[in-house]
Amino acid sequence: MKKKPEGKAPFSQYILYLGCTVPVRALQYEISARKVAERIGIQLADVPEFSCCGYPIQSINHYAYLLMAARNLALAEKQGLPICTLCSACCGSLTEANHEIQEDKTLRERINEDLSQWLGLRYEGGVRVNHFMRILHQEVGRKRISEKVEADLSSLQVAPHYGCHYTKPSTIYGKAEDPENPKSLDELIEAAGARSLQYEDKLACCGGGLLAMDEQVALAMAQRKLEHIRAEQADAMILFCPFCSIMYESNQRKIEKTSGKEYKLPVLFYPQLLGLAMGMEPDELGMKMNRVRPTELLKKVNRRTG
Amino acid sequence: MIDSKTLDPNFKLIIAAEPGGENIKKCFSCGTCTAGCPVREVTDRYNPRKIIRMALLGMKKEVLSSQFIWLCSSCYTCFERCPQDVRIPELMNAIKNIAVREGYLPPAMKTQLDLLSSFGRLLEITDFENEKRKESNLPLLQGKTEDIKKILKKTGLSS
């Protein structure tokens, strides 16, 4: 595990679980999340051996999915720390597998038999899985976040995108949030000092789950939301799942080309917005990696100097 | 027209025995799933109520060999709203698990399996990624793992 800087006692400690997409296609999310976590006092450790969470094979073989998730959980259990995910699909996949393994003793025994025989690992069910955003909202809290705000974002109005796996299925999250009326992202946006917009079909899915199967359907789903957000003249879309970002940001140009429409909608990960509010430089937050340049948005950030 | 002689009345029982498929028989076809489905919003090729009805009727081959069972985006909107707790995204996964065993693995999913088998991830971590990580002061990641290949082999998903 990576050594952490000495100093003040941490607010809390987690292992950062990156998954497949963040380190390859959304590095700005990881960079900005680590920066704001450090500022807040959340210590993040690393396990370089983590693999895919298993989500992609839920539809192919449920048991193999459980084994893939259990392998990661077993690696985390060795460190004795809870997992913090950045990707919402990873959070859902690991949380769901965790529940199944914890609740079903027979299944747990079968999984451990295979894990130990094939990979020399065991998972006893002792790891807690949480999403970075839920840690910010529930453990750190809006008040502590507001206290760290140093720049004025009050002229920004942004469109929150919750995605699906952060709140649903609500059964695995212990009803942490009403999936039909979630508020955490809106509240975290306001805690950073920006204005959170309401818009049509705010809770709609990005379509990312279908990108490999049927690109046309997936992009049509993403485009609907880009339309609805444009109608509200948002300065940016704010989200916290790397796959949603692929749909709305990486594929935005493609959607524009095939439809002949123009959106030019900046898409930021929430920690990038929070980092700006905390007075960090855009470069520190990986903004050079954002495909749709947030140039106009950055002009509206009022840095309190002197 | 459905030819009743081709129906397999056991199909719903096979689905109900699969993890995630347990609640299929509770469906009373109200259509709440389809009404709120974001995929249905952009294409009429996906209709969860219709798929469940076909499965309950025993249209085994039509369902398992279809493309449409692979068009659920797993958003779980219907999961939250279903008055009968049919747990539709999990039910779709149960049906897809059966379809894979029956030899109906779509090429796109086969590609994902191959990637997972090769790298342990959907996207490979190359020297390029780790070089970029070094520049950004991020801890390096292990390029690949044999563990996932082993899991996929032992569960019969790759050769």
Side-chain angles (χ1 to χ4, degrees):
Chain A
M1 282 197 330
K2 197 188 166 213
K3 273 257 178 66
K4 286 289 142 183
E6 314 285 320
K8 276 186 296 183
F11 181 78
S12 57
Q13 272 183 301
Y14 283 88
I15 302 172
L16 187 64
Y17 183 86
L18 296 171
C20 302
T21 312
V22 169
V24 182
R25 305 206 48 190
L27 206 58
Q28 69 270 35
Y29 187 13
E30 179 183 352
I31 290 171
S32 57
R34 286 187 194 266
K35 283 268 184 238
V36 302
E38 193 183 340
R39 181 71 63 89
I40 289 166
I42 302 170
Q43 269 195 5
L44 297 173
D46 292 277
V47 175
E49 298 83 13
F50 276 150
S51 55
C52 169
C53 68
Y55 176 79
I57 61 165
Q58 281 183 336
S59 62
I60 297 173
N61 185 304
H62 188 73
Y63 184 65
Y65 143 65
L66 289 177
L67 283 172
M68 275 179 68
R71 176 187 176 272
N72 292 309
L73 294 166
L75 291 172
E77 197 168 46
K78 279 192 186 176
Q79 309 293 342
L81 287 174
I83 282 177
C84 162
T85 73
L86 294 178
C87 170
S88 301
C90 293
C91 186
S93 163
L94 294 175
T95 304
E96 193 178 328
N98 208 19
H99 275 251
E100 274 192 56
I101 295 166
Q102 286 168 342
E103 282 159 22
D104 186 339
K105 191 160 171 274
T106 319
L107 176 71
R108 189 163 65 243
E109 280 166 4
R110 181 181 167 206
I111 281 178
N112 275 324
E113 205 169 294
D114 289 342
L115 274 187
S116 61
Q117 204 181 331
W118 302 343
L119 312 176
L121 290 168
R122 280 192 70 79
Y123 179 54
E124 304 301 340
V127 173
R128 197 159 55 86
V129 179
N130 213 346
H131 193 290
F132 185 67
M133 292 298 284
R134 196 160 281 129
I135 294 167
L136 288 181
H137 188 252
Q138 294 192 341
E139 292 183 25
V140 179
R142 283 177 279 164
K143 189 167 166 284
R144 278 178 73 109
I145 288 171
S146 307
E147 284 166 9
K148 305 275 182 197
V149 169
E150 289 176 13
D152 179 12
L153 304 191
S154 61
S155 42
L156 287 185
Q157 43 175 15
V158 298
H161 170 73
Y162 283 85
C164 303
H165 300 276
Y166 176 68
T167 57
K168 297 176 283 187
S170 59
T171 45
I172 62 167
Y173 294 125
K175 310 267 174 197
E177 184 149 24
D178 179 357
E180 298 282 10
N181 188 21
K183 294 197 167 71
S184 55
L185 178 57
D186 293 81
E187 289 174 354
L188 286 169
I189 287 169
E190 308 259 324
R195 199 174 136 229
S196 185
L197 286 169
Q198 300 303 314
Y199 60 94
E200 188 181 342
D201 272 344
K202 177 182 165 191
L203 300 182
C205 169
C206 70
L210 291 177
L211 190 61
M213 274 305 299
D214 195 319
E215 185 180 276
Q216 219 184 336
V217 169
L219 295 182
M221 288 169 73
Q223 184 171 11
R224 282 175 63 86
K225 188 162 269 200
L226 291 173
E227 283 287 333
H228 294 147
I229 290 177
R230 182 171 67 175
E232 302 302 326
Q233 296 171 330
D235 292 306
M237 179 176 194
I238 303 296
L239 43 70
F240 48 83
C241 175
F243 225 88
C244 298
S245 157
I246 287 181
M247 295 308 295
Y248 297 116
E249 197 193 36
S250 317
N251 279 318
Q252 197 178 122
R253 197 71 202 100
K254 190 178 233 175
I255 293 170
E256 287 177 332
K257 272 188 185 157
T258 50
S259 65
K261 292 187 175 175
E262 197 174 73
Y263 298 102
K264 286 192 174 159
L265 177 70
V267 179
L268 300 190
F269 288 98
Y270 176 75
Q272 293 188 296
L273 183 80
L274 180 57
L276 288 176
M278 288 173 163
M280 294 174 193
E281 295 294 330
D283 278 3
E284 285 182 273
L285 300 164
M287 293 233 187
K288 279 202 175 120
M289 296 173 198
N290 287 74
R291 295 266 196 100
V292 183
R293 297 262 177 256
T295 319
E296 292 305 311
L297 176 148
L298 291 174
K299 284 183 197 158
K300 293 186 181 178
V301 176
N302 198 352
R303 307 177 73 83
R304 291 171 191 155
T305 46
Chain B
M1 277 287 282
I2 305 169
D3 178 358
S4 63
K5 287 196 288 288
T6 63
L7 299 178
D8 181 348
N10 284 326
F11 188 39
K12 58 178 177 290
L13 304 176
I14 296 168
I15 294 170
E18 191 74 17
E22 297 88 351
N23 290 0
I24 183 169
K25 286 182 283 176
K26 289 188 182 175
C27 175
F28 53 31
S29 298
C30 68
T32 301
C33 49
T34 302
C37 177
V39 181
R40 186 68 172 80
E41 199 82 57
V42 301
T43 175
D44 55 12
R45 282 183 289 139
Y46 182 68
N47 182 337
R49 169 167 65 175
K50 183 169 148 189
I51 297 170
I52 297 169
R53 188 77 192 120
M54 288 172 78
L56 287 170
L57 281 170
M59 299 171 74
K60 186 176 171 188
K61 186 153 191 290
E62 289 87 339
V63 170
L64 294 183
S65 65
S66 73
Q67 286 293 306
F68 54 65
I69 55 171
W70 296 90
L71 286 181
C72 166
S73 75
S74 294
C75 75
Y76 285 85
T77 303
C78 56
F79 183 105
E80 299 295 335
R81 295 178 184 173
C82 174
Q84 288 293 92
D85 193 29
V86 175
R87 305 187 161 220
I88 297 133
E90 293 177 5
L91 168 61
M92 289 302 156
N93 277 338
I95 293 175
K96 286 180 265 187
N97 275 217
I98 298 169
V100 170
R101 285 205 302 274
E102 300 269 328
Y104 301 108
L105 180 68
M109 302 310 288
K110 172 76 171 67
T111 306
Q112 298 209 342
L113 269 183
D114 292 343
L115 290 168
L116 289 173
S117 179
S118 302
F119 311 121
R121 307 164 157 275
L122 280 185
L123 300 163
E124 185 184 7
I125 299 286
T126 63
D127 291 345
F128 175 75
E129 271 74 34
N130 268 330
E131 199 52 49
K132 222 160 66 177
R133 297 183 70 79
K134 212 189 270 175
E135 282 166 24
S136 310
N137 237 338
L138 299 171
L140 302 187
L141 296 173
Q142 183 176 294
K144 61 182 200 172
T145 169
E146 292 295 307
D147 286 7
I148 304 309
K149 185 179 280 177
K150 267 189 216 165
I151 290 176
L152 298 179
K153 259 189 187 171
K154 297 277 189 183
T155 50
L157 295 176
S158 79
S159 44

